[in-house]
Amino acid sequence: MTIVETSLVGADLGLTGLSGVPGADGPQKVKDYTSDQEVRWCPGCGDYVILATVRSFLADLGLRRENMMFVSGIGCSSRFPYYLDAYGIHSIHGRAPAIATGLAVTRPDLSVWVVTGDGDALSIGGNHLIHALRRNVNMTILLFNNRIYGLTKGQYSPTSEPGKVTKSTPMGSVDHPFNTLSVALGAEATFAARALDSDRAGLTEVLRAAAEHRGTSFVEILQDCPIFNDGSFDVLRKDNAESHLIPLRHGQPLRFGAEGEFAVVRRGFGLEVVASDSVAEADIVVHDAYCEDPEYAYALSRLSEQDLSHVPVGIFRSVSRPTYDDGVREQTEIARERKPVQADSLQQLLSGKETWTVG
């Protein structure tokens, strides 16, 4: 097993998110990633489709299963590690990014993944999420967004639309919800993307790019909760879905609709959806996923509306920046070179001059 040497400027050395992670000895199949645990989600849950897509993707990714780690918090999505035949931790509410950070720092030979939900990540876990993104730790975060608390039986979540009637908001929610991609980009995520659970091809494409990105990759996956929020994303699946989904393809004009009848143009400091025939072709925005300026990706995220009129899907942003874990390992190595660790260093720490005995 060969580990790629790390550096504070790892991104500038051409390292990817998979650098140093050992590959499998031979071809893998979906069944290799299928555990012996009974999958216990409600019938029709979007998590089933996501699980099947991830299993297939991991088989194609071709890493050693013992060098993959899936960390989850609390919620329906957080049962994910049970159903994958790879290493995993079902951790505590909202703290999965913190645990994953420790793994990424100490084990550069691991591909580290966080599986979380809109409640787990954006409520109690909001602080951990934004700091993982800010630090740019080499991990991939999958946030399943069904705009409801499912495991605790149907309370409104930080992404529920205004006026949402739930068990905890019988007269309708008065909260203003998070725009999930705006939160990630506001925390300066170096990789941010969105996919729909039922679009296996699109989700697979995003997963591969996220895994290969060095740094924190953030992927929002829109998924259905058939029990407590059924049909919340139906407008993006049924007839005329093309009029609502804005596919993001690097280097291509932002034009969408069954006949390309809609387009995205710049308006002031932001972006706006207009009829294609109302503007010149040169005025239509060409998507640049590698734009260093975060304002463009943020403006793109603001096109999303609670009524799902316009929902960009694909890779919003993918840029390079030094990672937290590379930096910590480099500093640790420098410290070791300056002052080699002694065999009894732990005992010296425990009984050194900063300790005393109480009689």
Side-chain angles (χ1 to χ4, degrees):
M1 179 176 68
T2 302
I3 304 300
V4 175
E5 192 172 316
T6 58
S7 168
L8 186 62
V9 290
D12 297 329
L13 297 178
L15 302 182
T16 73
L18 302 177
S19 294
V21 183
D25 295 332
Q28 295 177 326
K29 299 180 180 179
V30 174
K31 67 178 183 180
D32 294 329
Y33 285 93
T34 304
S35 76
D36 60 357
Q37 299 297 300
E38 177 188 0
V39 181
R40 303 188 66 180
W41 287 314
C42 300
C45 178
D47 289 357
Y48 284 99
V49 182
I50 300 173
L51 176 61
T53 303
V54 170
R55 282 172 173 170
S56 179
F57 160 73
L58 292 177
D60 291 337
L61 191 62
L63 300 178
R64 282 176 53 178
R65 288 178 297 153
E66 56 267 42
N67 288 86
M68 304 197 70
M69 175 60 76
F70 286 80
V71 186
S72 66
I74 296 297
C76 296
S77 62
S78 294
R79 297 188 62 82
F80 214 80
Y82 292 109
Y83 309 139
L84 289 173
D85 195 3
Y87 281 111
I89 298 176
H90 191 175
S91 70
I92 53 181
H93 209 179
R95 273 65 177 184
I99 295 171
T101 296
L103 288 164
V105 169
T106 58
R107 290 289 303 275
D109 61 324
L110 295 181
S111 177
V112 180
W113 298 68
V114 169
V115 181
T116 183
D118 47 302
D120 183 59
L122 295 171
S123 186
I124 191 170
N127 190 50
H128 294 284
L129 176 68
I130 62 173
H131 290 297
L133 294 166
R134 173 182 64 85
R135 288 170 173 152
N136 199 33
V137 186
N138 191 34
M139 68 171 77
T140 300
I141 299 175
L142 306 182
L143 188 152
F144 297 10
N145 184 8
N146 56 18
R147 305 205 290 187
I148 201 77
Y149 276 102
L151 188 67
T152 51
K153 307 300 186 285
Q155 298 84 0
Y156 80 109
S157 85
T159 58
S160 295
E161 61 272 30
K164 185 75 173 180
V165 175
T166 72
K167 293 180 179 180
S168 58
T169 54
M171 297 179 66
S173 170
V174 296
D175 270 11
H176 183 76
F178 274 132
N179 180 316
T180 310
L181 265 296
S182 294
V183 171
L185 291 163
E188 300 193 43
T190 55
F191 183 100
R194 176 187 288 134
L196 190 62
D197 58 358
S198 55
D199 180 11
R200 293 191 63 167
L203 177 55
T204 300
E205 180 180 339
V206 164
L207 289 174
R208 178 167 292 279
E212 293 177 347
H213 175 76
R214 191 165 193 84
T216 305
S217 298
F218 178 85
V219 179
E220 177 190 29
I221 306 175
L222 307 180
Q223 54 102 201
D224 192 41
C225 174
I227 305 301
F228 299 109
N229 203 18
D230 191 28
S232 57
F233 295 111
D234 276 359
V235 69
L236 305 179
R237 312 177 199 277
K238 297 184 176 180
D239 295 341
N240 201 36
E242 298 93 340
S243 297
H244 302 282
L245 290 168
I246 306 175
L248 303 178
R249 295 286 182 269
H250 177 71
Q252 295 186 16
L254 293 179
R255 186 193 296 272
F256 64 104
E259 304 295 331
E261 62 269 30
F262 302 106
V264 176
V265 298
R266 296 186 183 275
R267 284 285 188 270
F269 293 106
L271 302 175
E272 181 182 348
V273 173
V274 299
S276 296
D277 58 8
S278 68
V279 295
E281 184 69 26
D283 292 332
I284 299 176
V285 173
V286 175
H287 182 50
D288 183 5
Y290 308 120
C291 180
E292 291 288 342
D293 185 354
E295 281 80 2
Y296 164 67
Y298 185 83
L300 198 59
S301 75
R302 303 309 295 173
L303 288 173
S304 300
E305 301 172 357
Q306 285 299 309
D307 64 0
L308 306 179
S309 296
H310 308 121
V311 180
V313 289
I315 300 171
F316 286 64
R317 187 179 195 228
S318 180
V319 298
S320 295
R321 196 175 79 223
T323 69
Y324 176 83
D325 47 305
D326 281 341
V328 170
R329 287 192 296 270
E330 182 170 282
Q331 287 188 347
T332 301
E333 188 60 36
I334 292 173
R336 284 174 175 165
E337 291 175 355
R338 289 176 178 174
K339 190 175 182 180
V341 177
Q342 303 298 320
D344 59 348
S345 59
L346 178 59
Q347 186 58 44
Q348 289 178 1
L349 177 65
L350 295 174
S351 59
K353 62 180 181 180
E354 301 299 329
T355 64
W356 62 92
T357 300
V358 177

